[in-house]
Amino acid sequence: MSLYTGLTQLSNDSPQKHFTRRTLLPVKKNAVWQIASGFVITYTYLEDGTTVALGLWGPGDVVGEVLSKMKPYRMECLTKVEATVLPVNDWHQLTQTLLCHIQQAEELMVIRSHKKVETMLIQLLGWLSKKFGSEVEQGRLIDMRLTHEDLAALISSTRVTITRLLGQLEQEGLIDRLPLHRIIVRQEDIWYYEI
């Protein structure tokens, strides 16, 4: 259940906009985007060009530059996205949104704090399956079309390492990889698994 359910009245006043995969949501001053469908990754860059993922957001979530101090701040659509602009000035639910952003940042911080990349990836897959996954016969489907590079950015790793580890997890029977970068997490307790 989303923490943003109180925003539906505000979003009815503004028309939904449609965005294609890999496009950027435009930055709006004093406004945020509420995602109706699809998935968005927020990120920034370090001085050396390294991408740093700030969060991963789905239906009901709210993203926007006004919620971050990072410069640059990018909001990239990982899938087709429908979103609505919500002005912050008229918004009474800002506290709830800030709490959700803080909670998600803490969850990702803990995932990134593990010493081994293998553990970080397992924790990330478990988190993704709980937050965004849907129940299927074989486990929980993460239908976000996250590329290996996207997963690497979320845990500050490399695409090559993620590709190797996903192959290893698949061989061990913990995940199934499907076309279009979709993943089925076969065991709900994958986040407790130690390599």
Side-chain angles (χ1 to χ4, degrees):
M1 175 152 181
S2 173
L3 293 175
Y4 307 109
T5 52
L7 299 177
T8 51
Q9 294 172 345
L10 292 172
S11 63
N12 291 337
D13 300 338
S14 184
Q16 278 191 351
K17 306 254 191 274
H18 301 271
F19 300 91
T20 58
R21 176 174 158 76
R22 295 297 177 194
T23 59
L24 296 177
L25 293 178
V27 172
K28 300 286 188 182
K29 294 217 182 266
N30 297 317
V32 293
W33 289 98
Q34 182 177 28
I35 302 166
S37 67
F39 298 97
V40 173
I41 187 169
T42 53
Y43 61 90
T44 190
Y45 295 107
L46 300 179
E47 296 80 24
D48 65 1
T50 303
T51 301
V52 179
L54 301 173
L56 196 55
W57 314 97
D61 289 336
V62 175
V63 294
E65 189 178 55
V66 298
L67 299 172
S68 177
K69 286 192 163 225
M70 296 295 118
K71 301 287 183 211
Y73 179 84
R74 301 287 185 262
M75 302 168 283
E76 183 178 339
C77 300
L78 293 174
T79 61
K80 289 181 182 177
V81 170
E82 292 182 15
T84 305
V85 174
L86 301 175
V88 175
N89 312 10
D90 307 335
W91 197 15
H92 303 291
Q93 297 293 328
L94 187 57
T95 302
Q96 201 63 24
T97 297
L98 292 174
L99 287 174
C100 184
H101 274 255
I102 291 167
Q103 291 165 353
Q104 179 164 313
E106 288 174 341
E107 290 171 344
L108 287 173
M109 202 179 321
V110 169
I111 290 169
R112 290 181 186 146
S113 295
H114 291 281
K115 305 245 183 294
K116 295 163 69 177
V117 176
E118 297 92 336
T119 306
M120 282 190 272
L121 180 59
I122 289 166
Q123 293 283 322
L124 178 65
L125 291 173
W127 181 78
L128 289 170
S129 73
K130 281 198 287 187
K131 183 166 173 67
F132 300 111
S134 58
E135 206 59 50
V136 294
E137 189 176 320
Q138 301 88 348
R140 293 195 57 85
L141 173 65
I142 304 169
D143 190 11
M144 298 179 70
R145 298 183 182 186
L146 290 168
T147 65
H148 296 185
E149 193 170 335
D150 294 330
L151 291 170
L154 284 165
I155 58 173
S156 300
S157 185
T158 65
R159 182 197 55 77
V160 173
T161 300
I162 297 302
T163 300
R164 178 181 55 80
L165 291 173
L166 287 173
Q168 181 180 330
L169 292 174
E170 188 173 35
Q171 282 182 337
E172 293 174 9
L174 294 174
I175 65 169
D176 286 327
R177 292 189 288 177
L178 305 174
L180 303 174
H181 302 286
R182 296 175 302 153
I183 297 172
I184 294 177
V185 177
R186 300 188 106 205
Q187 295 178 300
E188 291 216 11
D189 59 348
I190 188 173
W191 44 92
Y192 297 116
Y193 176 80
E194 296 262 345
I195 292 180

